[in-house]
Amino acid sequence: MNYRRILGGMALVFLVIVAGCGGGQKSTVVEGKVNVMTSFYPLYDFAVHIGGAHVNVVNLVPAGVEPHDWTPKGRDIMNVGDSELFLYQGAGFEGWVDDFMKSVKDKKVKAVEASAGAHLLEAAEGGDGHDHQHGEESRGSSPGDLKNTDPHAWLSPHNAKKMSENIKNALIEVDPAHREDYENNYKAYAAKLDGLDKLYHDSLKDLPKKEIAVSHQAFAYLCHDYGLTQMAIMGLSPDSEPTAQDMKKMREYIQEHQLKYVFFEELVSDKLAKTLAKDAGVETLVLNPLEGLTEEQIKEGQNYISVMENNLKNLVKALQ
């Protein structure tokens, strides 16, 4: 039983009551622009690039917070309800979204499942990422209908392009007066994503190793696109607890494939990755699943494409 989802739903019922009472919540809505709320960082970045000067984009999850551990507050319900667009990933990523949308169903906001039509993969069994199925396309189902889907679709530049197209179409629907600008912005951003895909393909295709050891089973889409295989300490949720047997299997995998690095991510504790690396006699490197950025990364002007480029540099280093 998913107690976190049950508790999250109970909390949302309370928050709906609080939001309905007013409470002096500060609005993030900007008059004269299309107000867009996003459920996590990649959607925020895509919307900023495609919307340009015509949009006010607010990411619900604060900088430095891991979205798997986040649930909306009363002010989030109010701000989303007052917006024109609410962009969420879908494919099972946001366990809170069904209850959340019930709370804003009478508002003007248009909810858009960004992963609709993307090439989705089934979640691998257990903790490893050996699932290389081609998957099936999403039909825009609600998260509850996609329990066996790996939601990390944005880590494929191909899927990022499809998600960006969905955002572009949604912006045109709510703001047809600026259709040409949204179309042009999308074309420019899609070209950058195509360039990113080519860079990944050209950089990884001839490297001797094809296996990676990761802390969080988030990279099946990246592995699927570029012929890699991941072995993960934890499952699809980065706070799942590995057993002693899981750690043993990881050490054996590292030794079998003569890996030199264990990848970890910035928004969760690196304790397990460092423990495993020390036991296996290897080092650690960052592989960012782009579920969010730190405040420092935001101040530095990093974004989806720059972080993916940094990921590629570390992959090339590890796969030599």
Side-chain angles (χ1 to χ4, degrees), residues 87-104:
L87 307 176
Y88 68 99
Q89 173 67 8
F93 186 65
E94 304 95 341
W96 46 266
V97 76
D98 283 341
D99 289 328
F100 185 82
M101 290 314 303
K102 290 175 185 176
S103 70
V104 297

Side-chain angles (χ1 to χ4, degrees), residues 223-265:
C223 290
H224 177 274
D225 283 0
Y226 306 110
L228 306 179
T229 301
Q230 68 172 344
M231 182 73 171
I233 303 173
M234 296 171 282
L236 291 176
S237 175
D239 58 0
S240 56
E241 291 291 334
T243 65
Q245 187 64 23
D246 292 332
M247 296 293 280
K248 180 183 177 183
K249 286 182 179 179
M250 283 293 295
R251 287 194 297 271
E252 291 173 349
Y253 185 84
I254 290 168
Q255 292 167 358
E256 177 187 355
H257 297 286
Q258 299 181 332
L259 304 185
K260 299 177 182 178
Y261 297 94
V262 174
F263 287 110
F264 70 96
E265 57 191 90

Side-chain angles (χ1 to χ4, degrees), residues 15 19 23 32 41 52 93 100 106 121-122 130 137 177 193 195 215 217 228 234 261 265 272 274 278 281 287:
L15 289 171
Y41 177 75
F93 186 65
F100 185 82
D106 296 326
L121 300 175
E122 291 183 12
H130 287 76
E137 292 195 359
L193 292 172
S215 61
Q217 187 187 320
L228 306 179
M234 296 171 282
Y261 297 94
E265 57 191 90
L272 278 173
K274 288 188 173 180
K278 183 177 180 181
L287 194 62

Side-chain angles (χ1 to χ4, degrees), residues 273-302:
K274 288 188 173 180
T275 298
L276 178 62
K278 183 177 180 181
D279 290 346
V282 298
E283 299 180 56
T284 57
L285 274 176
V286 170
L287 194 62
N288 193 330
L290 268 158
E291 292 174 355
L293 298 187
T294 65
E295 290 184 2
E296 182 179 355
Q297 287 171 323
I298 292 173
K299 289 177 182 178
E300 292 172 351
Q302 294 191 39

